[in-house]
Amino acid sequence: MEHSTKAAQLFLQGYNCAQAVAVAFCDVTGLDADYTARLVSGFGGGMGRLREVCGAVSGMFMVLGHLYGYDTPGDDAKKMELYTRVQGLAKQFEEINGSIICREILKNPPSDPNPSPRTAEYYAKRPCAKMVMTAAKLMDEFIAENPID
């Protein structure tokens, strides 16, 4: 199954947007799905429903960091390489969707901490399934063009 389809299915099962993207890539990252879902759980709704950076984008960046990130403090070359990749993926996502900011994508929804009930109406009016599909597709394309060491 394609990661974009898997991410959309996970979102429609109730995972938040960051979880949907990150968990969809557990077959690539080698991370446990439950652990990954917990790790990224605070990034849904644009970071805890603050409506900041789209959770799908955050999930994509977490996969990117796991696969291509650095772990040595002071390794400015690796840091710059990762940040360049982050900015490139962000730009691609923004070109496709108009923004990487949740509140802009969702047209200024409430930013309270109360999760919205996941109903058919909720899914029908939200572009989030498309956002997770886009983020996963971009990540797949990036991986295809940049073999993992």
Side-chain angles (χ1 to χ4, degrees), residues 22-101:
V23 171
F25 281 88
C26 283
D27 65 319
V28 177
T29 63
L31 296 173
D32 175 75
D34 291 338
Y35 169 79
T36 300
R38 282 190 306 277
L39 182 67
V40 303
S41 60
F43 291 90
M47 301 187 179
R49 285 182 53 108
L50 289 170
R51 306 304 188 193
E52 296 296 334
V53 173
C54 170
V57 173
S58 294
M60 176 175 62
F61 292 163
M62 289 180 198
V63 172
L64 180 75
H66 181 78
L67 298 176
Y68 301 93
Y70 65 96
D71 56 9
T72 305
D75 189 343
D76 291 341
K78 285 282 196 187
K79 184 184 287 189
M80 184 179 79
E81 182 180 7
L82 178 66
Y83 290 177
T84 298
R85 290 171 162 179
V86 165
Q87 290 183 15
L89 284 169
K91 182 178 179 185
Q92 288 180 314
F93 187 94
E94 184 173 19
E95 286 171 355
I96 294 166
N97 298 299
S99 182
I100 67 166
I101 304 300

Side-chain angles (χ1 to χ4, degrees), residues 16 61 103 125 132-133 135:
N16 73 37
F61 292 163
R103 85 174 68 77
K125 69 180 183 177
V132 301
M133 290 183 80

Side-chain angles (χ1 to χ4, degrees), residues 10 12 57 72 107 121 128 149:
L10 290 166
L12 295 172
V57 173
T72 305
K107 313 282 190 249
E121 180 182 75
C128 303
D149 295 334

